[in-house]
Amino acid sequence: MKKKLQHAAIIVIAIVLIAAIPTTIEDFFMPGSQPGQSGNIEHPNKCDNCHGGYDQAVEPAFNWRGSMMSQAIRDPLFRASLAIANQDAPDSGDLCIRCHAPDGWLNGRSLPTDGSALNNNDMEGVQCDFCHKLVKPTQLGTNPFPDNTFYTSETYRSDQDYLGTLTIIPPQSGNGMYIAHSENAKRGPFSDAEAKHKTKYSPFHSESDLCATCHDVSNPAFSKAPDGTYQPNSLGEAAPSFESYNLFPIERTYSEWKMSAYNSPEGVFSAAFGGTKSYVSSCQDCHMRDVSGYGANKRGIPHRNDLPLHDMTGGNTFMPGIIAELFPGDVDHAALLVGVERARYMLQNAATMQVEVDEVNHKAHVTITNETGHKLPSGYPEGRRIWLNVSTYDINGDLLTESGHYDYDTAVLTKDTKIYEAKIGMSEAVAQAAGDGYEAGESFHFVLNNVVIKDNRIPPRGFTNANFEAIQSPPVDYTYPDGQYYDITTFDYPADTYRITAKLFYQSTSKEFIEFLRDKNVTNSAGTEMYALWESHGKCAPELMAEQTVYLGEPPAPNNDEISVDQITLDRSYTSSKGGKYVMTATVTVADNQDPSNFIAGAEVFGQFSGPTSNSVSGVTDASGKVVFTATSKRANSDWCLDISNIVYSDYTFIATPMVCENQGFAKAGSSIEDAIKVYPNPSTEYATIEVNLKASQDLIIEAYDFNGNKVETLFNGYTQYGISKLEWNTRTLPKGIYFLKIHSNKRTVTKLILIN
């Protein structure tokens, strides 16, 4: 610790001249592993050798690289916030870097605390080897898992030996007080792990307690006084207590879970989260859901149905695209894009909405139910919010009223609606101590904030006021009765209202916060740079979480954009023309109110043919409004199918329709024959490689479509031997944007390619 102070002295002199509070690195000291005590942390690229490149749907490498955990220190919003923190309280950034770049912190590169000394390995954020070194904080002589015989016999002694080397063992997980073992063995939750490297069994890695390490955050510069207020500690000294609940709360995501119904042996039923599990109980169950697959690409690796998906998905859909642009050679753009889709899925399942109408009193009651294991929203409070948008329309579709309007051009939210958020600020005494330019009340100067001004975020199942008071996360300036994990908002509507539409939006950061980072930064350009990125990337456009429309009267008939298929017929005939042909016709009759011209022919024929074949498929719209697909084959003794499960509507939506087959025994879609498809690099600039690994020799078609469903070109159409085949696609002349590759083999696959040329 003294060595750190010597290194810090140089920058403290430079910063203290503009600092609000003259803190030092001692004010932000936290126990646990200290710099130089955790050995070498290996670069994630080394982990990728075994844990990547074989199945992007389940492999750890690809999914972790698409997470914000892997981008924690690259995040320019974090960098801009870090600059303000160091400016307000010198060296406070050390605590931030501790969680966002643990490799840098553990190797003494968190000084200076602006992150300028961090190296390439540190930039990998919360990385593999760091997490798999973690040890549960436990006092010497205490076995944290006394009933687990395997841990007791295999790992307990090693953990105790390392704990004995620490000056102070943290009293609990939280606030970045991690314990990262110095040995090279990788700790994980499976006792039957087979690996080329050393392993240690660790039940800790299945516990939410591990997530608390960086998701239960307090400000150690403020301690709780007997009157319940939070007062500054003496300058130049560590906090008198490292108990999280004795310090000012910044975020309490883990503690909110701890006091929820999810923290129970049975957990809570969830159809949306959990993967292969029906009930979820831990942080990992939702944010590292169980999947079926292999954890590595080596022989002998067990297939698991409880493989944790290493995606750590939250709700950030805004930042991954910016990071991909800022660090094109250091990040996996395709992984980040997939991560955005996962985050969007999480948001769309985090809440449910119900709209009830009181037609007598002209009132609409909108109920939002929290479907997560923590507050909604949770986490870092600066600029993060959820709000209700409620609009009313007359019978002609004209807008009558709107609450919670968001202007996408200006990023201004009209605050005449329910906004779920936490607001923190400074007390009068702290504002006076900070000096000119600082005012008491609501504030984005989070390192100086010591008062919670508002917190109306929706609590999770199992909420009680007493328990949430105990974890420093009670409702503030709002009321939730015990047991309530939903909120009801009432809106008035005009008498001539015909339709009411309610929407729930999420935004990871607000215009007000971005402007604060720009305007208050006087030490570097991080705030200005973040503002420019925000402005050029849609100004963090909100994500739609839920939507419901109710009609006051009879709802209108479905419009032409709604898809349905109500009849499929099969007409097989044999033509006697030269060579002979089998003809299979599938007729799709669409609903009366639909326009058949909106359909794009998209059927295919495939099968197990007895010899050289010539087969084709065509689709037309006949005069009666039917879409008819006809397939032909030369071979009369073939087992073959006409697959119309990929009929495409004008918005490029695939219609779920069955396949019609000539032979009942044919292996239909969803059989055990699965082909592996890779497209790289993705995004692409001038060329893209399409790699297909076929499990059986077969006909193969590869087609490219633009985002609007227009066919760009057929890249391949022919018979292909089993094994790996590669095709290079020249994309140099194509406009940038999103393209879809339709790959027809024994199983139809659609994959997305992004061109950024």
Side-chain angles (χ1 to χ4, degrees):
M1 191 160 53
K2 294 297 184 183
K3 186 176 181 180
K4 291 185 72 176
L5 276 172
Q6 291 169 2
H7 285 291
I10 299 173
I11 65 161
V12 168
I13 294 172
I15 295 178
V16 75
L17 298 176
I18 57 170
I21 304 294
T23 51
T24 69
I25 199 121
E26 291 289 357
D27 292 286
F28 303 98
F29 170 80
M30 289 276 106
S33 296
Q34 298 300 309
Q37 293 186 323
S38 296
N40 177 55
I41 294 181
E42 296 174 330
H43 196 281
N45 287 349
K46 185 173 182 179
C47 307
D48 289 3
N49 291 331
C50 296
H51 298 286
Y54 61 96
D55 187 350
Q56 292 181 351
V58 301
E59 69 180 47
F62 181 79
N63 290 282
W64 169 79
R65 290 188 182 279
S67 74
M68 285 305 297
M69 299 283 277
S70 69
Q71 312 303 329
I73 194 65
R74 294 189 180 104
D75 183 346
L77 184 64
F78 166 76
R79 291 288 193 149
S81 302
L82 180 69
I84 296 290
N86 281 317
Q87 181 177 293
D88 289 341
D91 292 337
S92 60
D94 185 72
L95 182 61
C96 307
I97 292 174
R98 191 180 185 118
C99 276
H100 282 253
D103 176 56
W105 194 90
L106 285 168
N107 284 283
R109 292 186 289 270
S110 63
L111 295 172
T113 60
D114 61 359
S116 59
L118 299 175
N119 66 19
N120 178 62
N121 194 33
D122 306 335
M123 296 299 289
E124 296 298 326
V126 186
Q127 53 193 275
C128 323
D129 201 20
F130 164 72
C131 283
H132 289 278
K133 279 178 171 284
L134 293 179
V135 174
K136 185 179 178 72
T138 312
Q139 298 307 307
L140 292 178
T142 300
N143 186 341
F145 309 104
D147 299 326
N148 191 314
T149 56
F150 196 87
Y151 170 81
T152 301
S153 62
E154 298 294 326
T155 311
Y156 172 60
R157 178 44 52 198
S158 174
D159 287 356
Q160 286 284 297
D161 288 345
Y162 181 73
L163 288 166
T165 67
L166 303 183
T167 303
I168 305 176
I169 298 174
Q172 79 280 310
S173 296
N175 225 33
M177 297 183 293
Y178 42 70
I179 299 173
H181 208 293
S182 58
E183 67 180 359
N184 201 36
K186 317 304 177 191
R187 284 163 160 71
F190 296 110
S191 59
D192 62 342
E194 297 286 344
K196 300 294 184 182
H197 53 70
K198 293 181 179 179
T199 63
K200 289 286 188 183
Y201 169 59
S202 169
F204 181 45
H205 284 73
S206 297
E207 290 191 334
S208 296
D209 220 36
L210 182 140
C211 306
T213 306
C214 290
H215 293 280
D216 232 36
V217 184
S218 305
N219 187 343
F222 294 98
S223 293
K224 192 172 186 177
D227 63 357
T229 62
Y230 293 89
Q231 301 300 326
N233 298 325
S234 300
L235 290 175
E237 297 180 8
S241 169
F242 300 114
E243 295 279 353
S244 293
Y245 303 148
N246 290 334
L247 306 173
F248 181 71
I250 295 175
E251 61 175 280
R252 285 288 180 264
T253 305
Y254 162 80
S255 290
E256 292 159 10
W257 164 86
K258 185 178 178 181
M259 293 301 180
S260 77
Y262 291 80
N263 181 20
S264 61
E266 65 278 6
V268 173
F269 175 79
S270 175
F273 305 124
T276 59
K277 291 180 178 177
S278 297
Y279 287 78
V280 294
S281 60
S282 68
C283 304
Q284 290 90 331
D285 285 347
C286 292
H287 297 281
M288 295 181 69
R289 67 187 186 278
D290 285 359
V291 295
S292 295
Y294 297 92
N297 58 18
K298 303 303 180 185
R299 289 184 179 180
I301 298 298
H303 183 277
R304 303 186 190 278
N305 290 320
D306 59 347
L307 181 70
L309 187 69
H310 281 60
D311 62 334
M312 298 87 156
T313 300
N316 196 333
T317 62
F318 172 59
M319 193 53 64
I322 292 177
I323 291 172
E325 179 181 296
L326 293 177
F327 303 93
D330 299 324
V331 302
D332 187 329
H333 195 166
L336 287 169
L337 290 176
V338 174
V340 167
E341 293 306 314
R342 286 196 305 263
R344 191 165 285 130
Y345 174 87
M346 295 289 281
L347 290 172
Q348 292 170 352
N349 289 276
T352 52
M353 171 188 288
Q354 182 178 6
V355 181
E356 297 178 326
V357 176
D358 177 357
E359 296 191 45
V360 175
N361 297 301
H362 293 169
K363 294 184 181 296
H365 307 289
V366 183
T367 301
I368 303 299
T369 301
N370 182 359
E371 303 293 352
T372 75
H374 43 67
K375 283 187 173 182
L376 184 70
S378 187
Y380 186 71
E382 309 291 346
R384 186 173 298 185
R385 58 192 182 182
I386 290 173
W387 72 86
L388 274 171
N389 171 276
V390 178
S391 301
T392 63
Y393 302 84
D394 64 18
I395 197 166
N396 297 315
D398 295 327
L399 180 67
L400 298 175
T401 63
E402 182 181 14
S403 298
H405 173 76
Y406 181 85
D407 189 318
Y408 286 83
D409 292 329
T410 64
V412 172
L413 171 63
T414 303
K415 299 181 180 179
D416 55 352
T417 186
K418 180 71 67 63
I419 304 174
Y420 299 103
E421 60 189 348
K423 293 285 190 180
I424 55 179
M426 279 184 278
S427 66
E428 186 66 42
V430 171
Q432 289 181 2
D436 294 341
Y438 295 88
E439 297 179 359
E442 185 180 317
S443 158
F444 286 130
H445 293 277
F446 82 95
V447 75
L448 300 180
N449 289 337
N450 66 331
V451 178
V452 180
I453 295 172
K454 172 191 176 183
D455 188 350
N456 69 338
R457 297 173 298 167
I458 306 174
R461 286 170 170 80
F463 163 80
T464 68
N465 283 277
N467 283 344
F468 273 64
E469 182 74 43
I471 63 169
Q472 305 164 293
S473 189
V476 177
D477 197 28
Y478 205 74
T479 300
Y480 287 100
D482 287 355
Q484 184 169 311
Y485 55 95
Y486 57 87
D487 186 53
I488 303 175
T489 307
T490 299
F491 295 86
D492 296 321
Y493 65 84
D496 55 345
T497 297
Y498 172 67
R499 170 167 59 95
I500 301 172
T501 297
K503 299 178 180 180
L504 185 69
F505 286 104
Y506 169 85
Q507 195 172 41
S508 56
T509 193
S510 66
K511 176 182 182 178
E512 292 83 356
F513 184 50
I514 295 293
E515 290 180 337
F516 164 82
L517 295 175
R518 177 197 62 185
D519 298 341
K520 297 300 182 181
N521 188 323
V522 296
T523 54
N524 62 26
S525 61
T528 302
E529 292 166 3
M530 183 62 240
Y531 182 86
L533 290 167
W534 171 80
E535 197 169 38
S536 63
H537 287 77
K539 300 180 179 178
C540 193
E543 289 285 348
L544 180 63
M545 298 177 64
E547 178 179 6
Q548 186 179 352
T549 296
V550 295
Y551 293 90
L552 282 66
E554 289 296 321
N559 60 40
N560 285 343
D561 291 333
E562 294 181 342
I563 303 169
S564 65
V565 177
D566 61 9
Q567 182 183 353
I568 295 175
T569 60
L570 172 63
D571 176 23
R572 180 181 64 80
S573 61
Y574 179 69
T575 64
S576 59
S577 59
K578 186 178 180 180
K581 290 183 180 180
Y582 262 116
V583 179
M584 181 180 288
T585 302
T587 302
V588 179
T589 305
V590 300
D592 292 340
N593 66 307
Q594 295 177 344
D595 181 0
S597 64
N598 283 337
F599 284 89
I600 302 171
E604 63 179 307
V605 60
F606 64 86
Q608 298 172 341
F609 299 98
S610 57
T613 65
S614 174
N615 58 69
S616 63
V617 64
S618 61
V620 298
T621 303
D622 67 10
S624 64
K626 295 179 179 181
V627 183
V628 181
F629 296 96
T630 301
T632 61
S633 173
K634 276 189 174 183
R635 308 301 296 186
N637 57 346
S638 301
D639 295 338
W640 61 296
C641 290
L642 171 61
D643 180 7
I644 58 173
S645 62
N646 64 335
I647 301 173
V648 182
Y649 202 59
S650 58
D651 65 351
Y652 210 68
T653 301
F654 286 98
I655 302 173
T657 56
M659 188 190 315
V660 286
C661 293
E662 167 64 11
N663 189 311
Q664 294 292 326
F666 183 75
K668 299 183 181 181
S671 71
S672 61
I673 301 175
E674 295 185 1
D675 305 318
I677 313 294
K678 294 182 182 178
V679 180
Y680 57 88
N682 195 354
S684 172
T685 53
E686 298 183 349
Y687 293 92
T689 299
I690 304 166
E691 181 180 305
V692 183
N693 187 358
L694 300 178
K695 300 301 182 184
S697 300
Q698 59 192 274
D699 290 307
L700 177 68
I701 303 173
I702 304 176
E703 299 171 317
Y705 290 78
D706 65 19
F707 189 74
N708 296 317
N710 301 312
K711 185 175 177 179
V712 176
E713 62 178 303
T714 298
L715 303 176
F716 182 85
N717 187 348
Y719 186 78
T720 306
Q721 296 289 339
Y722 75 91
I724 297 177
S725 298
K726 294 184 179 181
L727 172 69
E728 191 172 74
W729 182 24
N730 184 346
T731 61
R732 184 179 298 175
T733 61
L734 295 175
K736 66 181 180 180
I738 297 176
Y739 292 80
F740 296 92
L741 296 175
K742 289 176 60 180
I743 301 171
H744 309 264
S745 57
N746 277 340
K747 182 179 180 182
R748 177 180 56 80
T749 302
V750 178
T751 188
K752 182 164 43 176
L753 173 69
I754 296 176
L755 299 185
I756 58 175
N757 58 317

